[in-house]
Amino acid sequence: MFFAVHATRGERIDKTKAKIRSDLEGCLHEHLDVKVCRFLTNETLPGEVDLFIDNELRPLYRGVTVEVRGLKRLADEISKLKREQIDRIIDVITVASQSLMSRLSNT
């Protein structure tokens, strides 16, 4: 599985489509065994981008599942995780973890 992350920040649709195509083609050029390409973005992409993926990219790369996950979908997935899992993913030491570490180091 390949992940590409892109912060669109309101850029033009043609730039977003070019970035997705470039990331996908670059991934498949370097990694022939990839089965899923998942694009993560900070915004909900316009329908034109979804159509581009459906009508242009997926037919070209039939052996690869191409997905886009926007902010809402990412937040939904993250909200299902336990706090410890989230901390491990983003590599954060929480206040509770710091307190435990302090007690352990004092023993």
Side-chain angles (χ1 to χ4, degrees), residues 61-78:
Y61 304 101
R62 293 192 186 278
V64 178
T65 301
V66 180
E67 301 175 346
V68 175
R69 303 263 172 110
L71 184 60
K72 182 177 177 352
R73 176 88 185 263
L74 293 172
D76 288 345
E77 293 294 324
I78 290 169

Side-chain angles (χ1 to χ4, degrees), residues 8-61:
T8 59
R9 295 190 184 103
E11 73 185 5
R12 293 189 338 249
I13 291 172
D14 60 324
K15 285 188 76 171
T16 300
K17 292 191 300 188
K19 174 69 172 148
I20 291 171
R21 179 189 298 273
S22 172
D23 286 350
L24 176 61
E25 290 174 351
C27 166
L28 297 176
H29 178 75
E30 295 291 324
H31 309 282
L32 302 176
D33 59 341
V34 169
K35 300 293 182 218
V36 177
C37 284
R38 187 170 289 162
F39 296 92
L40 310 177
T41 179
N42 62 326
E43 294 183 10
T44 300
L45 296 177
E48 185 177 334
V49 175
D50 290 329
L51 289 173
F52 165 72
I53 292 168
D54 288 344
N55 298 330
E56 293 188 39
L57 296 182
R58 288 186 179 128
L60 283 174
Y61 304 101

